[in-house]
PDB file of all heavy atoms in Angstrom:
ATOM      1  N   GLN A   1     -58.894 152.616  -9.804  1.00 97.00           N
ATOM      2  CA  GLN A   1     -59.323 153.617  -8.826  1.00 97.00           C
ATOM      3  C   GLN A   1     -60.496 154.464  -9.318  1.00 97.00           C
ATOM      4  O   GLN A   1     -61.028 155.283  -8.573  1.00 97.00           O
ATOM      5  CB  GLN A   1     -58.149 154.534  -8.468  1.00 97.00           C
ATOM      6  CG  GLN A   1     -57.005 153.808  -7.771  1.00 97.00           C
ATOM      7  CD  GLN A   1     -57.449 153.173  -6.472  1.00 97.00           C
ATOM      8  OE1 GLN A   1     -57.901 153.854  -5.564  1.00 97.00           O
ATOM      9  NE2 GLN A   1     -57.324 151.854  -6.378  1.00 97.00           N
ATOM     10  N   GLY A   2     -60.874 154.298 -10.586  1.00 97.00           N
ATOM     11  CA  GLY A   2     -62.037 155.016 -11.092  1.00 97.00           C
ATOM     12  C   GLY A   2     -61.848 156.509 -11.206  1.00 97.00           C
ATOM     13  O   GLY A   2     -62.796 157.277 -11.012  1.00 97.00           O
ATOM     14  N   VAL A   3     -60.650 156.954 -11.541  1.00 98.00           N
ATOM     15  CA  VAL A   3     -60.409 158.388 -11.762  1.00 98.00           C
ATOM     16  C   VAL A   3     -60.919 158.747 -13.156  1.00 98.00           C
ATOM     17  O   VAL A   3     -60.442 158.205 -14.158  1.00 98.00           O
ATOM     18  CB  VAL A   3     -58.919 158.744 -11.619  1.00 98.00           C
ATOM     19  CG1 VAL A   3     -58.705 160.241 -11.868  1.00 98.00           C
ATOM     20  CG2 VAL A   3     -58.401 158.355 -10.249  1.00 98.00           C
ATOM     21  N   ARG A   4     -61.875 159.656 -13.227  1.00 98.00           N
ATOM     22  CA  ARG A   4     -62.570 159.927 -14.479  1.00 98.00           C
ATOM     23  C   ARG A   4     -62.068 161.195 -15.147  1.00 98.00           C
ATOM     24  O   ARG A   4     -61.307 161.988 -14.567  1.00 98.00           O
ATOM     25  CB  ARG A   4     -64.084 160.019 -14.224  1.00 98.00           C
ATOM     26  CG  ARG A   4     -64.628 158.734 -13.622  1.00 98.00           C
ATOM     27  CD  ARG A   4     -66.117 158.792 -13.358  1.00 98.00           C
ATOM     28  NE  ARG A   4     -66.919 158.742 -14.577  1.00 98.00           N
ATOM     29  CZ  ARG A   4     -67.107 157.633 -15.298  1.00 98.00           C
ATOM     30  NH1 ARG A   4     -66.547 156.493 -14.934  1.00 98.00           N
ATOM     31  NH2 ARG A   4     -67.859 157.664 -16.375  1.00 98.00           N
ATOM     32  N   LEU A   5     -62.544 161.377 -16.401  1.00 98.00           N
ATOM     33  CA  LEU A   5     -62.154 162.515 -17.233  1.00 98.00           C
ATOM     34  C   LEU A   5     -63.391 163.275 -17.670  1.00 98.00           C
ATOM     35  O   LEU A   5     -64.418 162.677 -17.999  1.00 98.00           O
ATOM     36  CB  LEU A   5     -61.393 162.023 -18.476  1.00 98.00           C
ATOM     37  CG  LEU A   5     -60.071 161.307 -18.220  1.00 98.00           C
ATOM     38  CD1 LEU A   5     -59.615 160.567 -19.473  1.00 98.00           C
ATOM     39  CD2 LEU A   5     -58.999 162.296 -17.766  1.00 98.00           C
ATOM     40  N   HIS A   6     -63.266 164.607 -17.724  1.00 98.00           N
ATOM     41  CA  HIS A   6     -64.425 165.446 -18.043  1.00 98.00           C
ATOM     42  C   HIS A   6     -63.976 166.695 -18.792  1.00 98.00           C
ATOM     43  O   HIS A   6     -62.905 167.250 -18.509  1.00 98.00           O
ATOM     44  CB  HIS A   6     -65.126 165.852 -16.750  1.00 98.00           C
ATOM     45  CG  HIS A   6     -66.362 166.673 -16.955  1.00 98.00           C
ATOM     46  ND1 HIS A   6     -67.365 166.318 -17.821  1.00 98.00           N
ATOM     47  CD2 HIS A   6     -66.760 167.856 -16.394  1.00 98.00           C
ATOM     48  CE1 HIS A   6     -68.325 167.228 -17.782  1.00 98.00           C
ATOM     49  NE2 HIS A   6     -67.974 168.167 -16.931  1.00 98.00           N
ATOM     50  N   THR A   7     -64.779 167.133 -19.759  1.00 98.00           N
ATOM     51  CA  THR A   7     -64.544 168.405 -20.443  1.00 98.00           C
ATOM     52  C   THR A   7     -65.832 168.842 -21.124  1.00 98.00           C
ATOM     53  O   THR A   7     -66.844 168.147 -21.086  1.00 98.00           O
ATOM     54  CB  THR A   7     -63.398 168.277 -21.466  1.00 98.00           C
ATOM     55  OG1 THR A   7     -63.006 169.582 -21.913  1.00 98.00           O
ATOM     56  CG2 THR A   7     -63.807 167.443 -22.675  1.00 98.00           C
ATOM     57  N   HIS A   8     -65.802 170.038 -21.736  1.00 97.00           N
ATOM     58  CA  HIS A   8     -66.905 170.520 -22.566  1.00 97.00           C
ATOM     59  C   HIS A   8     -66.671 170.069 -24.004  1.00 97.00           C
ATOM     60  O   HIS A   8     -65.539 170.070 -24.480  1.00 97.00           O
ATOM     61  CB  HIS A   8     -66.963 172.052 -22.571  1.00 97.00           C
ATOM     62  CG  HIS A   8     -67.186 172.678 -21.234  1.00 97.00           C
ATOM     63  ND1 HIS A   8     -66.153 172.998 -20.381  1.00 97.00           N
ATOM     64  CD2 HIS A   8     -68.323 173.067 -20.616  1.00 97.00           C
ATOM     65  CE1 HIS A   8     -66.654 173.566 -19.291  1.00 97.00           C
ATOM     66  NE2 HIS A   8     -67.970 173.619 -19.397  1.00 97.00           N
ATOM     67  N   LEU A   9     -67.759 169.755 -24.718  1.00 97.00           N
ATOM     68  CA  LEU A   9     -67.587 169.321 -26.102  1.00 97.00           C
ATOM     69  C   LEU A   9     -68.839 169.635 -26.920  1.00 97.00           C
ATOM     70  O   LEU A   9     -69.971 169.458 -26.439  1.00 97.00           O
ATOM     71  CB  LEU A   9     -67.319 167.806 -26.162  1.00 97.00           C
ATOM     72  CG  LEU A   9     -66.702 167.303 -27.471  1.00 97.00           C
ATOM     73  CD1 LEU A   9     -65.207 167.615 -27.496  1.00 97.00           C
ATOM     74  CD2 LEU A   9     -66.931 165.807 -27.658  1.00 97.00           C
ATOM     75  N   ALA A  10     -68.612 170.102 -28.147  1.00 96.00           N
ATOM     76  CA  ALA A  10     -69.683 170.269 -29.142  1.00 96.00           C
ATOM     77  C   ALA A  10     -70.864 171.056 -28.575  1.00 96.00           C
ATOM     78  O   ALA A  10     -72.013 170.696 -28.759  1.00 96.00           O
ATOM     79  CB  ALA A  10     -70.147 168.902 -29.665  1.00 96.00           C
ATOM     80  N   GLU A  11     -70.549 172.186 -27.924  1.00 95.00           N
ATOM     81  CA  GLU A  11     -71.607 172.920 -27.222  1.00 95.00           C
ATOM     82  C   GLU A  11     -72.459 173.760 -28.153  1.00 95.00           C
ATOM     83  O   GLU A  11     -73.670 173.869 -27.959  1.00 95.00           O
ATOM     84  CB  GLU A  11     -70.997 173.794 -26.130  1.00 95.00           C
ATOM     85  CG  GLU A  11     -72.029 174.476 -25.267  1.00 95.00           C
ATOM     86  CD  GLU A  11     -71.437 175.113 -24.011  1.00 95.00           C
ATOM     87  OE1 GLU A  11     -70.245 174.877 -23.725  1.00 95.00           O
ATOM     88  OE2 GLU A  11     -72.172 175.845 -23.327  1.00 95.00           O
ATOM     89  N   ASN A  12     -71.823 174.405 -29.169  1.00 93.00           N
ATOM     90  CA  ASN A  12     -72.619 175.218 -30.102  1.00 93.00           C
ATOM     91  C   ASN A  12     -71.927 175.287 -31.457  1.00 93.00           C
ATOM     92  O   ASN A  12     -70.893 174.651 -31.684  1.00 93.00           O
ATOM     93  CB  ASN A  12     -72.904 176.607 -29.523  1.00 93.00           C
ATOM     94  CG  ASN A  12     -71.669 177.506 -29.463  1.00 93.00           C
ATOM     95  OD1 ASN A  12     -70.584 177.134 -29.894  1.00 93.00           O
ATOM     96  ND2 ASN A  12     -71.845 178.698 -28.934  1.00 93.00           N
ATOM     97  N   ASP A  13     -72.480 176.061 -32.367  1.00 94.00           N
ATOM     98  CA  ASP A  13     -71.941 176.111 -33.730  1.00 94.00           C
ATOM     99  C   ASP A  13     -70.523 176.677 -33.759  1.00 94.00           C
ATOM    100  O   ASP A  13     -69.693 176.236 -34.558  1.00 94.00           O
ATOM    101  CB  ASP A  13     -72.856 176.949 -34.628  1.00 94.00           C
ATOM    102  CG  ASP A  13     -74.181 176.257 -34.933  1.00 94.00           C
ATOM    103  OD1 ASP A  13     -74.213 175.007 -34.916  1.00 94.00           O
ATOM    104  OD2 ASP A  13     -75.180 176.957 -35.186  1.00 94.00           O
ATOM    105  N   HIS A  14     -70.236 177.672 -32.895  1.00 90.00           N
ATOM    106  CA  HIS A  14     -68.884 178.231 -32.856  1.00 90.00           C
ATOM    107  C   HIS A  14     -67.877 177.182 -32.392  1.00 90.00           C
ATOM    108  O   HIS A  14     -66.737 177.145 -32.865  1.00 90.00           O
ATOM    109  CB  HIS A  14     -68.854 179.450 -31.937  1.00 90.00           C
ATOM    110  CG  HIS A  14     -69.686 180.597 -32.406  1.00 90.00           C
ATOM    111  ND1 HIS A  14     -69.424 181.277 -33.579  1.00 90.00           N
ATOM    112  CD2 HIS A  14     -70.787 181.183 -31.880  1.00 90.00           C
ATOM    113  CE1 HIS A  14     -70.315 182.237 -33.751  1.00 90.00           C
ATOM    114  NE2 HIS A  14     -71.163 182.195 -32.734  1.00 90.00           N
ATOM    115  N   ASP A  15     -68.295 176.350 -31.483  1.00 90.00           N
ATOM    116  CA  ASP A  15     -67.459 175.252 -30.986  1.00 90.00           C
ATOM    117  C   ASP A  15     -67.104 174.302 -32.134  1.00 90.00           C
ATOM    118  O   ASP A  15     -65.945 173.886 -32.298  1.00 90.00           O
ATOM    119  CB  ASP A  15     -68.238 174.511 -29.894  1.00 90.00           C
ATOM    120  CG  ASP A  15     -67.355 173.699 -28.965  1.00 90.00           C
ATOM    121  OD1 ASP A  15     -66.171 173.526 -29.270  1.00 90.00           O
ATOM    122  OD2 ASP A  15     -67.862 173.236 -27.935  1.00 90.00           O
ATOM    123  N   ILE A  16     -68.093 173.979 -32.938  1.00 93.00           N
ATOM    124  CA  ILE A  16     -67.863 173.097 -34.093  1.00 93.00           C
ATOM    125  C   ILE A  16     -66.912 173.755 -35.086  1.00 93.00           C
ATOM    126  O   ILE A  16     -65.955 173.129 -35.580  1.00 93.00           O
ATOM    127  CB  ILE A  16     -69.192 172.752 -34.793  1.00 93.00           C
ATOM    128  CG1 ILE A  16     -70.167 172.073 -33.827  1.00 93.00           C
ATOM    129  CG2 ILE A  16     -68.944 171.872 -36.018  1.00 93.00           C
ATOM    130  CD1 ILE A  16     -69.709 170.771 -33.275  1.00 93.00           C
ATOM    131  N   ALA A  17     -67.164 175.037 -35.382  1.00 93.00           N
ATOM    132  CA  ALA A  17     -66.330 175.755 -36.359  1.00 93.00           C
ATOM    133  C   ALA A  17     -64.882 175.823 -35.889  1.00 93.00           C
ATOM    134  O   ALA A  17     -63.952 175.645 -36.692  1.00 93.00           O
ATOM    135  CB  ALA A  17     -66.899 177.154 -36.586  1.00 93.00           C
ATOM    136  N   TYR A  18     -64.671 176.071 -34.592  1.00 90.00           N
ATOM    137  CA  TYR A  18     -63.318 176.136 -34.047  1.00 90.00           C
ATOM    138  C   TYR A  18     -62.611 174.796 -34.221  1.00 90.00           C
ATOM    139  O   TYR A  18     -61.447 174.734 -34.641  1.00 90.00           O
ATOM    140  CB  TYR A  18     -63.377 176.513 -32.565  1.00 90.00           C
ATOM    141  CG  TYR A  18     -62.014 176.666 -31.913  1.00 90.00           C
ATOM    142  CD1 TYR A  18     -61.376 177.896 -31.870  1.00 90.00           C
ATOM    143  CD2 TYR A  18     -61.358 175.567 -31.346  1.00 90.00           C
ATOM    144  CE1 TYR A  18     -60.128 178.038 -31.277  1.00 90.00           C
ATOM    145  CE2 TYR A  18     -60.114 175.699 -30.755  1.00 90.00           C
ATOM    146  CZ  TYR A  18     -59.509 176.937 -30.716  1.00 90.00           C
ATOM    147  OH  TYR A  18     -58.263 177.064 -30.139  1.00 90.00           O
ATOM    148  N   SER A  19     -63.305 173.711 -33.910  1.00 93.00           N
ATOM    149  CA  SER A  19     -62.707 172.384 -34.013  1.00 93.00           C
ATOM    150  C   SER A  19     -62.332 172.048 -35.456  1.00 93.00           C
ATOM    151  O   SER A  19     -61.245 171.522 -35.721  1.00 93.00           O
ATOM    152  CB  SER A  19     -63.670 171.337 -33.460  1.00 93.00           C
ATOM    153  OG  SER A  19     -63.090 170.064 -33.462  1.00 93.00           O
ATOM    154  N   LEU A  20     -63.231 172.361 -36.386  1.00 95.00           N
ATOM    155  CA  LEU A  20     -62.955 172.062 -37.789  1.00 95.00           C
ATOM    156  C   LEU A  20     -61.797 172.893 -38.319  1.00 95.00           C
ATOM    157  O   LEU A  20     -60.943 172.398 -39.078  1.00 95.00           O
ATOM    158  CB  LEU A  20     -64.209 172.303 -38.624  1.00 95.00           C
ATOM    159  CG  LEU A  20     -65.372 171.323 -38.396  1.00 95.00           C
ATOM    160  CD1 LEU A  20     -66.606 171.774 -39.157  1.00 95.00           C
ATOM    161  CD2 LEU A  20     -64.971 169.904 -38.816  1.00 95.00           C
ATOM    162  N   GLU A  21     -61.735 174.164 -37.918  1.00 94.00           N
ATOM    163  CA  GLU A  21     -60.657 175.030 -38.397  1.00 94.00           C
ATOM    164  C   GLU A  21     -59.325 174.684 -37.750  1.00 94.00           C
ATOM    165  O   GLU A  21     -58.295 174.605 -38.425  1.00 94.00           O
ATOM    166  CB  GLU A  21     -61.008 176.492 -38.108  1.00 94.00           C
ATOM    167  CG  GLU A  21     -59.922 177.472 -38.553  1.00 94.00           C
ATOM    168  CD  GLU A  21     -60.256 178.920 -38.228  1.00 94.00           C
ATOM    169  OE1 GLU A  21     -61.394 179.191 -37.771  1.00 94.00           O
ATOM    170  OE2 GLU A  21     -59.374 179.781 -38.409  1.00 94.00           O
ATOM    171  N   LYS A  22     -59.339 174.447 -36.442  1.00 92.00           N
ATOM    172  CA  LYS A  22     -58.100 174.260 -35.697  1.00 92.00           C
ATOM    173  C   LYS A  22     -57.544 172.848 -35.850  1.00 92.00           C
ATOM    174  O   LYS A  22     -56.324 172.654 -35.997  1.00 92.00           O
ATOM    175  CB  LYS A  22     -58.360 174.551 -34.214  1.00 92.00           C
ATOM    176  CG  LYS A  22     -57.149 174.437 -33.313  1.00 92.00           C
ATOM    177  CD  LYS A  22     -56.282 175.657 -33.386  1.00 92.00           C
ATOM    178  CE  LYS A  22     -55.184 175.613 -32.325  1.00 92.00           C
ATOM    179  NZ  LYS A  22     -54.284 176.775 -32.407  1.00 92.00           N
ATOM    180  N   PHE A  23     -58.445 171.842 -35.807  1.00 94.00           N
ATOM    181  CA  PHE A  23     -57.989 170.459 -35.765  1.00 94.00           C
ATOM    182  C   PHE A  23     -58.370 169.653 -37.004  1.00 94.00           C
ATOM    183  O   PHE A  23     -57.969 168.490 -37.126  1.00 94.00           O
ATOM    184  CB  PHE A  23     -58.567 169.761 -34.521  1.00 94.00           C
ATOM    185  CG  PHE A  23     -58.354 170.513 -33.246  1.00 94.00           C
ATOM    186  CD1 PHE A  23     -59.437 170.990 -32.512  1.00 94.00           C
ATOM    187  CD2 PHE A  23     -57.075 170.772 -32.773  1.00 94.00           C
ATOM    188  CE1 PHE A  23     -59.257 171.690 -31.335  1.00 94.00           C
ATOM    189  CE2 PHE A  23     -56.874 171.474 -31.590  1.00 94.00           C
ATOM    190  CZ  PHE A  23     -57.970 171.943 -30.879  1.00 94.00           C
ATOM    191  N   LYS A  24     -59.162 170.268 -37.883  1.00 96.00           N
ATOM    192  CA  LYS A  24     -59.659 169.571 -39.090  1.00 96.00           C
ATOM    193  C   LYS A  24     -60.465 168.329 -38.734  1.00 96.00           C
ATOM    194  O   LYS A  24     -60.507 167.350 -39.488  1.00 96.00           O
ATOM    195  CB  LYS A  24     -58.494 169.172 -40.021  1.00 96.00           C
ATOM    196  CG  LYS A  24     -57.475 170.265 -40.293  1.00 96.00           C
ATOM    197  CD  LYS A  24     -58.098 171.513 -40.886  1.00 96.00           C
ATOM    198  CE  LYS A  24     -57.034 172.580 -41.170  1.00 96.00           C
ATOM    199  NZ  LYS A  24     -57.613 173.913 -41.426  1.00 96.00           N
ATOM    200  N   ARG A  25     -61.108 168.368 -37.594  1.00 96.00           N
ATOM    201  CA  ARG A  25     -61.873 167.237 -37.100  1.00 96.00           C
ATOM    202  C   ARG A  25     -63.143 167.760 -36.427  1.00 96.00           C
ATOM    203  O   ARG A  25     -63.168 168.866 -35.893  1.00 96.00           O
ATOM    204  CB  ARG A  25     -61.075 166.437 -36.058  1.00 96.00           C
ATOM    205  CG  ARG A  25     -59.681 166.019 -36.502  1.00 96.00           C
ATOM    206  CD  ARG A  25     -59.752 164.881 -37.480  1.00 96.00           C
ATOM    207  NE  ARG A  25     -59.890 163.596 -36.800  1.00 96.00           N
ATOM    208  CZ  ARG A  25     -60.247 162.479 -37.403  1.00 96.00           C
ATOM    209  NH1 ARG A  25     -60.569 162.493 -38.692  1.00 96.00           N
ATOM    210  NH2 ARG A  25     -60.322 161.343 -36.729  1.00 96.00           N
ATOM    211  N   THR A  26     -64.193 166.950 -36.434  1.00 96.00           N
ATOM    212  CA  THR A  26     -65.341 167.281 -35.605  1.00 96.00           C
ATOM    213  C   THR A  26     -64.940 167.103 -34.137  1.00 96.00           C
ATOM    214  O   THR A  26     -63.949 166.413 -33.836  1.00 96.00           O
ATOM    215  CB  THR A  26     -66.538 166.370 -35.906  1.00 96.00           C
ATOM    216  OG1 THR A  26     -66.213 165.037 -35.472  1.00 96.00           O
ATOM    217  CG2 THR A  26     -66.899 166.376 -37.382  1.00 96.00           C
ATOM    218  N   PRO A  27     -65.685 167.684 -33.204  1.00 96.00           N
ATOM    219  CA  PRO A  27     -65.325 167.493 -31.796  1.00 96.00           C
ATOM    220  C   PRO A  27     -65.257 166.025 -31.381  1.00 96.00           C
ATOM    221  O   PRO A  27     -64.350 165.635 -30.632  1.00 96.00           O
ATOM    222  CB  PRO A  27     -66.441 168.238 -31.061  1.00 96.00           C
ATOM    223  CG  PRO A  27     -66.830 169.332 -31.999  1.00 96.00           C
ATOM    224  CD  PRO A  27     -66.746 168.709 -33.361  1.00 96.00           C
TER     225      PRO A  27
END
């Protein structure tokens, strides 16, 4: 049916820092 997925990702440096601290992974 082509139902797609969408989100925000890797938008700025704070976004990267949050991902590394929270998930221990890059976005």
